[in-house]
Amino acid sequence: MSAPQPAPSGSVPTAGGGLLARTRDRRLVGAPSRAGTIAYGASAFPSNLLMQTFSAFVVYFYVDHLGVRAGWVAGAMVAHGILNALLNPLVGAASDRRRTRWGRRVPWIVLGIVPLVVAFALVWMPPAVGPVGLVVWFLVVVALFDVAYVVVALNISALFPEIFRTTAERARGNTPRQIFGLVGMILGTAGAPLLYGTLGWTWMALLLGVVSLAFFVWSLAGMVERPVDVATVREREAAVGLGDQLRYTFANRAFVTYVLGSLLLQSTTAIVLAAIPFYVRYTLGGAEADATLLLAPIFVAAIPSIVGWSWVVRRIGPRSAMLWVVAVYGLATCLYLIPSTVLGAALAGLAVGVGVAGLMQVLEVALAQVIDDDERRTGLRREGMYFGANGFVVRGSVIVQAVLVAGVLSASGYVEGAGDVVQPDSVATGVRLLLGGVPVVLAALAFVCFWFYPLRGHDSDDTDAALTEADASPTAADPLPR
């Protein structure tokens, strides 16, 4: 693929035409501006706010507030997970291969924002029907939410490696994005109960929807694609079929080692979040509300730590940074083996937050490096395919979490639905190992995956120098699709 010629930094609209035409034809050359970087990063706030609110409270809303049977809702949530996983690679592949005068990613995002916000609001505004009707409503509306969310969030992520071209640019550009994302997660967890507790579920849905829409509109200012030689790209796409592209993606050593490590790390965070309520109640002997005191320090420590990990990634490169992140995160989770009080566990959470920030900072930078390497070998920018395949695989973290949590609780003699008075002493030990032992084992396996990650180059701030260094890719001998 022919590369764009060097030009001054910033987005450059085509001369002439009205405002709509200039907006349509704008393209990014050089490094993105600071304002554009912050605007693009702001997209993580509504994305995380909507998904965190949905994930944390939708089961409670339909089971406890509306009275739908828990088994029915559980089945609907399984269907939701399967649909979400399947949509990722399909939407990613379609986004890669669909080119318009507005670009590849931006049209999907623009067309998906309003349906996403509307579907989110409708989840919390069901009609006055019986339990069966509520389940049908849930299935239909959540399916719409899933489709719109994947369309918007995946294409926003796919823009990241295109807007930010080097490790240094990506580490800096990812910092505001992850900070916005953390704030969205915090408000989705803590702000939603305050809203539905005081204003009701409908007003909560409407307020969060309006705020999210405003942030999405702002973020569009930072979503600018780069110019490409469309004729050359389409010729290459015609020569490499979609099936071959999919097979090659999962035969790419760099991607396979990366995505397996990412799956393991995503599983550890899922286990930590799921185990903390059990840990508070059965190991520390605290009240259920004390779980907030263990979760809050993780977020508090993660926000400033993202800046520090950005410096580490720029200094030593993605692979080395991943190894350090996994080591820090794994050792931090071991601290949960020590405390006997809620305060001690909260202090351990500060260390875990440092590791969580590292995961948020380095994983997408490393995936962008995989995509760069793939382009030099296939002649195609396949961000959608790779982010979609990654999303498909890491959805397996939900299964890993469910199996391990259920297995450890069962092995420790945990009795479902019983008060803590009748739980055997072995439950306290089992839960402590679940929170402080299982994650470090998974982190160790992730460390092995990243050790074999073959892309060990560390590019510079100069794009041309970075590309020259990576031409001698260690994956050059891997089979290409034919």
Side-chain angles (χ1 to χ4, degrees), residues 317-372:
R319 176 184 176 272
S320 296
M322 285 192 294
L323 294 175
W324 276 104
V325 164
V326 174
V328 169
Y329 179 63
L331 291 174
T333 59
C334 286
L335 296 177
Y336 284 127
L337 294 171
I338 302 172
S340 57
T341 64
V342 171
L343 177 60
L347 294 175
L350 291 173
V352 173
V354 175
V356 168
L359 301 182
M360 298 179 70
Q361 177 60 263
V362 74
L363 287 179
E364 284 201 8
V365 176
L367 182 53
Q369 187 183 42
V370 173
I371 292 165
D372 290 344

Side-chain angles (χ1 to χ4, degrees), residues 2-343:
S2 60
Q5 296 301 312
S9 299
S11 58
V12 179
T14 301
L19 176 61
L20 186 64
R22 291 197 298 272
T23 302
R24 178 195 64 204
D25 297 332
R26 64 182 183 146
R27 293 294 181 266
L28 179 64
V29 293
S33 66
R34 179 177 297 179
T37 297
I38 294 174
Y40 171 76
S43 63
F45 174 79
S47 297
N48 284 13
L49 176 63
L50 296 180
M51 183 53 75
Q52 185 69 19
T53 303
F54 175 84
S55 300
F57 302 109
V58 72
V59 173
Y60 172 75
F61 175 66
Y62 275 82
V63 173
D64 191 78
H65 185 72
L66 299 180
V68 181
R69 290 184 183 179
W72 292 0
V73 175
M77 289 299 289
V78 170
H80 153 70
I82 294 172
L83 177 62
N84 188 283
L86 293 175
L87 281 172
N88 270 278
L90 294 176
V91 171
S95 174
D96 281 343
R97 299 174 72 89
R98 178 62 178 170
R99 297 181 182 275
T100 72
R101 293 185 64 184
W102 292 83
R104 286 192 298 173
R105 319 295 181 189
V106 173
W108 292 84
I109 298 167
V110 172
L111 293 175
I113 288 173
V114 172
L116 171 60
V117 171
V118 171
F120 171 81
L122 290 177
V123 169
W124 315 97
M125 300 166 62
V129 294
V132 175
L134 287 173
V135 172
V136 174
W137 174 267
F138 183 91
L139 287 170
V140 173
V141 173
V142 170
L144 295 174
F145 175 76
D146 271 332
V147 172
Y149 187 86
V150 172
V151 164
V152 172
L154 186 144
N155 280 281
I156 290 174
S157 295
L159 279 173
F160 175 73
E162 180 175 352
I163 294 174
F164 307 101
R165 302 163 302 166
T166 67
T167 295
E169 284 184 6
R170 288 164 180 166
R172 293 189 184 98
N174 205 28
T175 299
R177 185 181 178 206
Q178 297 303 338
I179 291 175
F180 274 115
L182 272 173
V183 174
M185 291 175 63
I186 294 170
L187 292 181
T189 303
L194 179 62
L195 289 175
Y196 71 66
T198 55
L199 302 176
W201 294 94
T202 297
W203 278 108
M204 178 208 76
L206 293 174
L207 287 173
L208 293 184
V210 169
V211 170
S212 297
L213 182 61
F215 269 84
F216 275 131
V217 171
W218 171 29
S219 69
L220 289 172
M223 297 180 189
V224 188
E225 301 184 35
R226 294 186 181 272
V228 296
D229 185 337
V230 176
T232 301
V233 171
R234 285 180 173 163
E235 181 181 352
R236 180 56 179 154
E237 285 177 343
V240 183
L242 184 59
D244 288 331
Q245 288 191 45
L246 186 61
R247 285 192 293 272
Y248 172 60
T249 299
F250 286 99
N252 184 337
R253 280 188 299 147
F255 178 69
V256 170
T257 54
Y258 165 86
V259 79
L260 289 178
S262 180
L263 170 62
L264 291 165
L265 293 176
Q266 298 278 3
S267 299
T268 65
T269 58
I271 289 170
V272 168
L273 293 175
I276 279 179
F278 296 95
Y279 183 70
V280 168
R281 185 176 182 186
Y282 299 115
T283 303
L284 303 180
E288 290 183 347
D290 290 338
T292 301
L293 300 178
L294 268 68
L295 290 170
I298 297 176
F299 293 114
V300 169
I303 291 177
S305 298
I306 286 174
V307 179
W309 283 114
S310 173
W311 179 86
V312 171
V313 174
R314 298 196 307 269
R315 180 88 176 179
I316 64 177
R319 176 184 176 272
S320 296
M322 285 192 294
L323 294 175
W324 276 104
V325 164
V326 174
V328 169
Y329 179 63
L331 291 174
T333 59
C334 286
L335 296 177
Y336 284 127
L337 294 171
I338 302 172
S340 57
T341 64
V342 171
L343 177 60

